[in-house]
Amino acid sequence: MNPISITRNTIEGFEGIQIDTGVMALSIIPELGGKVNSLRDSRTGREWLWRHPRFPYKQVPHGSSYTAQSDTGGWDECFPSVSQCEYPSDPWKGAAIQDHGELWSHPAEFEMDEQEGLVILRTRWQGIALPYTFK
């Protein structure tokens, strides 16, 4: 079994964490909503996630357009909605939900638990337009 390696690095000015199992390597940027910016086959070098060639990584305020300002590729969580909309049900009926949800536009609380042969990543967000905790 290959040992797991963990590397902390800087990705375009943001702290990144890369975990490499020897088979797959995952890179995450907690400050950018827990963005998974790379999922790579460590054996072949094949990158499975697309990266936009012209959009730099940046933090944007809540309410910003994902597609106009932050569609940098990778993997972003789209909770509670993929599309910009108003929440349809009481008691939060009419609450504005931004494009691609809320998580991508604010930093994730991030914890990493390293054990022998195992790494557990935990991300957590508090809702902005709605009262939820997303883990």
Side-chain angles (χ1 to χ4, degrees), residues 80-102:
S81 175
V82 173
S83 298
Q84 180 179 357
C85 63
E86 291 185 0
Y87 194 78
S89 304
D90 288 329
W92 303 288
K93 186 173 185 164
I97 308 298
Q98 71 181 12
D99 179 27
H100 277 69
E102 295 187 326

Side-chain angles (χ1 to χ4, degrees), residues 11 17-19 24-29 35-41 45-51 57 73-75:
I11 302 167
I17 294 106
Q18 180 174 316
I19 299 167
M24 295 298 291
L26 171 91
S27 178
I28 184 171
I29 306 173
K35 173 184 281 296
V36 176
N37 71 305
S38 177
L39 183 61
R40 183 179 43 80
D41 186 316
R46 179 180 179 157
E47 175 60 54
W48 289 96
L49 300 178
W50 174 78
R51 171 70 167 100
Y57 292 138
W75 184 338

Side-chain angles (χ1 to χ4, degrees), residues 5-121:
S5 70
I6 300 167
T7 307
R8 292 182 181 269
N9 54 11
T10 301
I11 302 167
E12 295 184 31
F14 297 96
E15 180 185 12
I17 294 106
Q18 180 174 316
I19 299 167
D20 192 333
T21 67
V23 175
M24 295 298 291
L26 171 91
S27 178
I28 184 171
I29 306 173
E31 290 176 275
L32 297 179
K35 173 184 281 296
V36 176
N37 71 305
S38 177
L39 183 61
R40 183 179 43 80
D41 186 316
S42 300
R43 300 159 300 181
T44 66
R46 179 180 179 157
E47 175 60 54
W48 289 96
L49 300 178
W50 174 78
R51 171 70 167 100
H52 197 296
R54 294 183 306 273
F55 274 25
Y57 292 138
K58 62 183 175 183
Q59 287 183 313
V60 297
H62 178 77
S64 299
S65 168
Y66 177 84
T67 55
Q69 296 184 306
S70 293
D71 190 5
T72 57
W75 184 338
D76 295 288
E77 180 57 60
C78 295
F79 183 84
S81 175
V82 173
S83 298
Q84 180 179 357
C85 63
E86 291 185 0
Y87 194 78
S89 304
D90 288 329
W92 303 288
K93 186 173 185 164
I97 308 298
Q98 71 181 12
D99 179 27
H100 277 69
E102 295 187 326
L103 308 183
W104 64 270
S105 66
H106 67 280
E109 293 177 27
F110 180 80
E111 295 177 12
M112 183 168 52
D113 185 13
E114 301 174 47
Q115 301 171 12
E116 186 175 332
L118 177 68
V119 176
I120 299 170
L121 302 176

